[in-house]
């Protein structure tokens, strides 16, 4: 599904990623964890086309998208749930969702897509006409996930979906990640809640100071002293 090889990224003269190799197989949930400032957001933004100061390859289903503009990356089956939700506060819940279906092929599936999102998050259905800015943080996160799903992705990139949410809402978000994956969507999950992330993942990568410093099965990383030290600070 996704095969990143030798990815370097820069902000001006400052290098943020160094030779990153990351892959996600069809149907997998893969976690990307690491301390603040490690480069996790830079990596998902590079995949989504939002950060283009890079060198290396980002192959999605065999096609290098590293030079594809952000608004065309969706054509390759990729959608991003950005850090901080970024919903359009002055638009209704329904209109935010419809914006996700911006591609012609997604528009054709709009009704089915809306139904799927409403099944996944019944609270969004109840609040369909409400302004997105009036939703709770958890509801805004569900909306951001729903909007990304309406693009009809085969690979979903999620940047810190549980950040700042109450524990009970975090449970709902993780249940949704499992359900989305069960529908056949591959997921690359950036999370600060490392234990929860590894629980839903098959494999994971640890990024520190712009480099992949560990990779393995979820069980291997959960037990790893390096992860406990470098990510969890234990
Ligand atoms: P966090 O968990 O804090 O979001 P992260 O792992 O997602 O961290 P990034 O946000 O990708 O890390 O940042 C990686 C590095 O790039 C950091 O050193 C950061 O200071 C730097 N960086 C990020 N955004 C910019 C920017 N717009 N301009 C300059 N440097 C940036």
């Amino acid at each position: 599904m996704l095969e990143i090889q030798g990815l370097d990224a820069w902000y001006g003269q400052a290098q943020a990623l160094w030779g990153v190799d990351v892959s996600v197989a069809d149907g997998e949930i893969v976690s990307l964890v690491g301390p603040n400032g490690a480069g996790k957001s830079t990596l998902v933004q590079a995949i989504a086309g939002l950060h283009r100061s890079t060198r290396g390859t980002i192959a999605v289903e065999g096609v290098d998208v590293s030079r594809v503009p952000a608004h065309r990356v969706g054509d390759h089956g990729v959608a991003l749930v950005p850090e901080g939700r970024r919903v359009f506060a002055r638009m209704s819940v329904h209109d935010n969702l419809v914006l996700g279906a911006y591609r012609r092929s997604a528009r054709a599936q709009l009704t089915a897509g809306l139904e799927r999102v409403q099944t996944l998050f019944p609270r969004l259905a109840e609040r369909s006409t409400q302004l997105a800015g009036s939703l709770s943080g958890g509801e805004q996160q569900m909306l951001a996930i729903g909007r990304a799903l309406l693009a009809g992705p085969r690979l979903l990139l999620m940047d810190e979906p549980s950040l700042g949410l109450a524990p009970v809402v975090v449970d709902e978000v993780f249940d949704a990640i499992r359900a989305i994956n069960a529908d056949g969507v591959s997921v690359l999950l950036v999370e600060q809640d490392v234990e929860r992330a590894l629980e839903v993942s098959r494999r994971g990568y640890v990024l520190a100071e712009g480099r992949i410093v560990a990779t393995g099965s979820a069980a291997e990383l959960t037990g790893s002293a390096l992860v406990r030290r470098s990510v969890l600070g234990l």
Side-chain angles (χ1 to χ4, degrees):
M1 183 73 232
L2 174 70
E3 183 91 45
I4 298 173
Q5 282 180 331
L7 193 72
D8 299 331
W10 290 266
Y11 290 97
Q13 300 291 308
Q15 191 162 353
L17 294 178
W18 305 74
V20 167
D21 296 335
V22 162
S23 68
V24 178
D26 241 354
E28 268 191 324
I29 303 180
V30 173
S31 287
L32 179 66
V33 300
N36 286 345
K40 305 180 298 295
S41 295
T42 304
L43 181 58
V44 289
Q45 286 173 12
I47 303 166
L50 299 168
H51 187 90
R52 278 290 169 250
S53 183
T54 61
R55 188 172 61 199
T57 58
I58 304 173
V60 174
E61 294 176 334
V63 178
D64 186 4
V65 300
S66 63
R67 295 288 165 265
V68 172
H71 69 282
R72 297 255 70 112
V73 173
D75 296 349
H76 297 269
V78 179
L80 168 70
V81 182
E83 185 173 2
R85 357 261 191 235
R86 307 285 170 85
V87 298
F88 295 95
R90 289 157 181 270
M91 291 173 65
S92 71
V93 167
H94 177 265
D95 289 351
N96 267 273
L97 289 174
V98 170
L99 276 181
Y102 65 95
R103 288 162 48 242
R104 195 176 301 153
S105 58
R107 284 267 164 184
Q109 303 292 320
L110 182 60
T111 309
L114 285 170
E115 276 170 16
R116 179 69 189 119
V117 169
Q118 289 173 354
T119 311
L120 210 50
F121 303 119
R123 258 186 289 164
L124 292 184
E126 291 162 20
R127 288 167 171 56
S128 180
T129 58
Q130 220 169 295
L131 293 185
S134 71
L135 299 178
S136 70
E139 289 160 354
Q140 290 190 14
Q141 184 62 60
M142 292 168 198
L143 181 54
I145 296 171
R147 182 180 57 189
L149 287 180
L150 274 158
R154 297 184 293 283
L155 173 66
L156 189 62
L157 310 170
M158 305 183 88
D159 196 354
E160 308 270 14
S162 83
L163 196 65
L165 303 184
V168 45
V169 186
V170 173
D171 290 344
E172 285 180 58
V173 168
F174 276 95
D175 287 347
I177 295 171
R178 284 185 219 267
I180 291 162
N181 179 246
D183 281 348
V185 179
S186 310
V187 178
L188 181 62
L189 175 63
V190 171
E191 255 296 333
Q192 33 81 43
D193 190 337
V194 178
E195 284 167 329
R196 295 296 298 270
L198 290 174
E199 251 174 56
V200 298
S201 301
R202 182 185 298 175
R203 297 187 298 112
Y205 293 88
V206 181
L207 191 64
E209 295 180 1
R211 292 180 170 86
I212 299 290
V213 294
T215 179
S217 70
E220 284 165 350
L221 292 181
T222 305
S224 140
L226 178 85
V227 172
R228 298 177 67 76
R229 211 173 44 239
S230 83
V231 188
L232 301 173
L234 299 173

